[in-house]
Amino acid sequence: MALTLASRRTTRRLAADAGLLVVAAAFVLPLAWVVLSALDPAANLRVKTPDGLTLDNFDAILTPEITFTPLLNSLVLCGGATLLTVVCAALAAYPLSRFRSRFNRPFLLTILFATSLPITAIMVPVYALFVRVDLIDTVQGTIFFFTASQLPFAIWLMKNFMDGVPKELEEAAWTDGASSLQSLLRIVLPLMGPGVAVVTVFSFVMMWGNFFVPFMLLLTPDQMPASVSVNDFFGNRGMVAYGQLAAFSLVYSTPVILLYVLIARRLGGGFALGGAVKG
Amino acid sequence: MTATAPHPRLTKAPTDPHRARGPRLPVRLLPLAPAVVLLLLFLAGPIAYCGYIAFTDLQLTGQAQESFVGLDNFTRAFGDEEFLNAVWLTLVFTVLSSLIGQNTLGLALAALMRRASKPVRTLTGGIVVTAWVLPEVVAGFLLYAFFRREGTLNAILDWLHLPSQNWLFTLPILAVSFANVWRGTAFSMLVYSAALNEIPKEITEAAEVDGAGGWRRMWHVTLPMIRRSIGTNLMLNTLQTLSVFGLIWVMTRGGPGGRSQTLPLFMYEQAFQNSLIGYGTAVALLLLLVGSLFSLVYLRLLRTEV
């Protein structure tokens, strides 16, 4: 009996392994293309063994015009917006987590509602509005909009992490005469360091990959972040150099993949995302 | 405001620092101000503005002042074949990629992972999540390369002696739907992995002892137990899918001939290629309303104790 159960388990495990490997193979093909083509001197659109290995594709794209300026733009845009998001979210989460008030519930429900609104839908009116108030084609305007679109989720996440910090420590500080701001900065935030890191990285990753917002709100090519400039490989350069396109995609994607790996464990053996998806 | 009040904490007994009401409420809510200002100016503002210009004939150029046209944009939309086409394609795209694709595949992966060996589980999870973390435009490229006539999919079909075709031309909506499955399944997989982990082992084991096979256990035991996760996951997937723009834009630009033009791309085309901001915004408002509806259902499903 024990033996049959054990062998049934083994069969089942093998079947599950086989199933997963089939899916993994299907999923890995496009990823394999980008890695192989980046190293291939004669890359085309197929997954194939490279005709020799080369770093020429990287050499060709690692110029200020193609790579460094767009990546720097991305960094300024997403870095600025992330900083603003985290500061505003930490401040906002504090009263929501620490004090009971009749505003909390409606506020949090509104935030949760806004979290799932399709931001894509409002890009046309945002464009029209930005033209009217002269924020169009400005980095700060784009940063503000990025921040606002990321804030609902960031506040929600931050509040949930903050709820995990016990109040007793803070109360002791209050007795000693610390203000709320002091206790937030000196006690609560350090204690929820990993939570702050998750919000920071998550916001950054979301914005780094976002195409539509800068595509709409920025016009000057010099200001474009990598998410938009990568499009030029198709548009302006005539014949597409697929090897270079692949190399650029790798360079552009690597930072966010590394950052994600950094926080993946926090986000979850279940991608808790602070309860936003908890059923 | 009373921001200058000296250390309110000192004047209060520390035994009751969390009183619900009182004169200090404004001070307590002060830290909310930066976030609220940003949200009002850059999120609520545009949404309200959206509700206004959707009823005007605002154009991109050559017009000093827009004028109010009432419901014209909306009646126009519902008489516009391109709009109805976009609605239909959005529906196809959402049902295929989100309801069926991401949701079912995500659940299947999560269920298989519970039985699989650790290295396979880690490998598959890693690959699927990488597809999800990639920037939208890069994902678009990879799938563009995959589906092109000279691309990998046709190479495989050739190898299997199956007929190849130009997928992005013959079945563009199917290609972008698959792309969205490729990119979005990780989310469902993670949600369902978490949900399945919360089911007590005893329950499934009891069902197994009672002789229920794999499918029956799934249908009668597991699915009912994770139904709230299913609900929230479906909502979030749908909302996500409703706002996909970059992926389709990179792969097909909505073409050929509008055959993969979902509502966000239609909205963009009307507003910018045709310079009809008012009309484009009316479409945006409809999209936003549909999104809000889903969002409300999602809130109900969560029934969260905020």
Side-chain angles (χ1 to χ4, degrees), chain A residues 3-278:
Chain A
L3 192 75
T4 47
L5 200 66
S7 71
R8 243 173 63 196
R9 285 243 161 91
T10 317
T11 325
R12 229 195 264 161
R13 199 183 63 222
L14 288 176
D17 281 357
L20 284 182
L21 285 175
V22 169
V23 178
F27 267 72
V28 88
L29 282 173
L31 295 171
W33 176 79
V34 75
V35 176
L36 294 174
S37 302
L39 299 169
D40 190 338
N44 57 25
L45 282 168
R46 289 198 170 170
V47 175
K48 63 178 175 84
T49 340
D51 311 342
L53 292 179
T54 176
L55 289 176
D56 287 356
N57 291 323
F58 289 95
D59 256 356
I61 58 141
L62 288 177
T63 65
E65 192 211 349
I66 300 180
T67 302
F68 298 127
T69 309
L71 283 186
L72 187 69
N73 291 340
S74 285
L75 196 66
V76 170
L77 208 60
C78 307
T82 302
L83 190 71
L84 199 57
T85 304
V86 172
V87 170
C88 292
L91 285 173
Y94 187 72
L96 294 171
S97 167
R98 276 3 204 184
F99 308 123
R100 263 174 289 133
S101 113
R102 68 201 120 99
F103 294 114
N104 283 11
R105 198 181 144 76
F107 188 83
L108 282 168
L109 282 176
T110 314
I111 287 290
L112 195 57
F113 175 73
T115 298
S116 38
L117 279 184
I119 295 297
T120 305
I122 61 168
M123 286 320 294
V124 170
V126 168
Y127 175 89
L129 192 66
F130 269 39
V131 169
R132 189 144 294 192
V133 298
D134 246 346
L135 273 174
I136 200 73
D137 200 24
T138 62
V139 174
Q140 69 272 28
T142 313
I143 287 180
F144 284 138
F145 182 73
F146 253 149
T147 306
S149 65
Q150 195 59 41
L151 257 180
F153 193 62
I155 294 175
W156 182 255
L157 210 53
M158 195 75 95
K159 189 233 167 217
N160 280 304
F161 282 122
M162 211 176 268
D163 285 347
V165 177
K167 279 180 189 161
E168 287 73 24
L169 295 162
E170 229 177 321
E171 281 164 10
W174 288 341
T175 325
D176 292 340
S179 69
S180 290
L181 186 65
Q182 280 170 328
S183 70
L184 172 65
L185 285 179
R186 299 254 173 85
I187 298 166
V188 182
L189 287 180
L191 281 173
M192 52 177 284
V196 176
V198 167
V199 178
T200 309
V201 171
F202 191 80
S203 306
F204 189 82
V205 170
M206 284 290 114
M207 296 173 196
W208 185 264
N210 191 304
F211 165 74
F212 204 24
V213 171
F215 177 67
M216 293 289 284
L217 301 184
L218 295 175
L219 310 171
T220 318
D222 294 349
Q223 296 190 357
M224 288 299 178
S227 58
V228 182
S229 78
V230 66
N231 223 10
D232 292 349
F233 275 98
F234 274 155
N236 309 332
R237 284 169 222 263
M239 269 295 286
V240 184
Y242 290 111
Q244 294 182 18
L245 177 62
F248 182 84
S249 299
L250 278 188
V251 171
Y252 164 47
S253 308
T254 307
V256 285
I257 292 181
L258 291 181
L259 281 174
Y260 181 81
V261 169
L262 210 69
I263 58 155
R265 201 160 299 192
R266 286 281 155 199
L267 275 176
F271 191 69
L273 278 193
V277 294
K278 246 188 237 156

Side-chain angles (χ1 to χ4, degrees), chain B residues 44-126:
Chain B
I47 291 175
Y49 194 55
C50 181
Y52 165 69
I53 46 179
F55 297 93
T56 70
D57 61 354
L58 182 62
Q59 295 192 6
L60 212 51
T61 45
Q63 190 189 24
Q65 194 69 47
E66 75 272 11
S67 55
F68 196 72
V69 295
L71 288 173
D72 275 9
N73 287 323
F74 296 94
T75 44
R76 172 188 185 150
F78 287 103
D80 181 349
E81 264 184 39
E82 279 185 56
F83 172 78
L84 298 175
N85 171 55
V87 170
W88 167 246
L89 287 175
T90 307
L91 209 66
V92 172
F93 182 62
T94 309
V95 170
L96 276 185
S97 67
S98 144
L99 291 188
I100 299 176
Q102 296 176 357
N103 187 54
T104 326
L105 187 59
L107 180 59
L109 285 174
L112 284 175
M113 279 183 170
R114 290 172 66 75
R115 297 172 167 184
S117 56
K118 193 163 191 297
V120 174
R121 191 166 59 212
T122 314
L123 179 78
T124 313

Side-chain angles (χ1 to χ4, degrees), chain B:
Chain B
M1 285 276 221
T2 48
T4 51
H7 283 298
R9 295 274 162 233
L10 285 177
T11 60
K12 272 286 152 200
T15 46
D16 186 22
H18 304 298
R19 238 165 20 122
R21 284 146 210 254
R24 288 187 290 110
L25 190 63
V27 180
R28 285 178 177 177
L29 293 181
L30 202 60
L32 280 171
V36 170
V37 168
L38 277 171
L39 286 172
L40 285 178
L41 284 182
F42 292 95
L43 214 56
I47 291 175
Y49 194 55
C50 181
Y52 165 69
I53 46 179
F55 297 93
T56 70
D57 61 354
L58 182 62
Q59 295 192 6
L60 212 51
T61 45
Q63 190 189 24
Q65 194 69 47
E66 75 272 11
S67 55
F68 196 72
V69 295
L71 288 173
D72 275 9
N73 287 323
F74 296 94
T75 44
R76 172 188 185 150
F78 287 103
D80 181 349
E81 264 184 39
E82 279 185 56
F83 172 78
L84 298 175
N85 171 55
V87 170
W88 167 246
L89 287 175
T90 307
L91 209 66
V92 172
F93 182 62
T94 309
V95 170
L96 276 185
S97 67
S98 144
L99 291 188
I100 299 176
Q102 296 176 357
N103 187 54
T104 326
L105 187 59
L107 180 59
L109 285 174
L112 284 175
M113 279 183 170
R114 290 172 66 75
R115 297 172 167 184
S117 56
K118 193 163 191 297
V120 174
R121 191 166 59 212
T122 314
L123 179 78
T124 313
I127 291 169
V128 174
V129 167
T130 306
W132 179 54
V133 181
L134 281 185
E136 194 178 13
V137 177
V138 172
F141 280 138
L142 301 196
L143 275 304
Y144 169 84
F146 185 73
F147 281 111
R148 276 286 299 229
R149 178 168 265 307
E150 325 70 271
T152 305
L153 178 59
N154 281 339
I156 297 171
L157 292 174
D158 284 345
W159 186 64
L160 294 170
H161 298 293
L162 289 169
S164 61
Q165 53 186 313
N166 191 350
W167 299 98
L168 294 174
F169 187 80
T170 49
L171 291 164
I173 192 68
L174 202 64
V176 294
S177 298
F178 269 107
N180 196 37
V181 172
W182 186 80
R183 185 169 145 74
T185 297
F187 184 78
S188 305
M189 182 185 83
L190 294 166
V191 169
Y192 286 134
S193 291
L196 292 179
N197 273 336
E198 278 175 21
I199 297 181
K201 266 219 154 61
E202 300 80 51
I203 294 181
T204 41
E205 274 167 9
E208 198 176 348
V209 170
D210 288 346
W215 290 112
R216 283 187 56 193
R217 276 208 306 282
M218 190 71 176
W219 190 252
H220 290 292
V221 182
T222 313
L223 288 184
M225 291 198 72
I226 59 167
R227 63 177 191 284
R228 281 183 68 190
S229 295
I230 297 176
T232 51
N233 182 53
L234 281 178
M235 280 304 128
L236 290 173
N237 276 348
T238 306
L239 285 160
Q240 196 64 44
T241 304
L242 272 183
S243 47
V244 170
F245 180 89
L247 193 68
I248 303 180
W249 179 256
V250 170
M251 287 179 71
T252 66
R253 295 275 196 276
R259 282 190 291 130
S260 59
Q261 192 177 52
T262 56
L263 279 171
L265 284 103
F266 177 77
M267 166 193 92
Y268 176 80
E269 185 184 88
Q270 292 305 327
F272 294 99
Q273 259 116 50
N274 301 345
S275 304
L276 302 170
I277 298 251
Y279 186 36
T281 305
V283 177
L285 191 61
L286 291 172
L287 198 57
L288 202 61
L289 286 178
V290 175
S292 313
L293 215 67
F294 276 107
S295 200
L296 281 177
V297 176
Y298 167 64
L299 282 192
R300 287 302 299 245
L301 277 172
L302 271 183
R303 259 181 261 126
T304 176
E305 307 90 41
V306 171

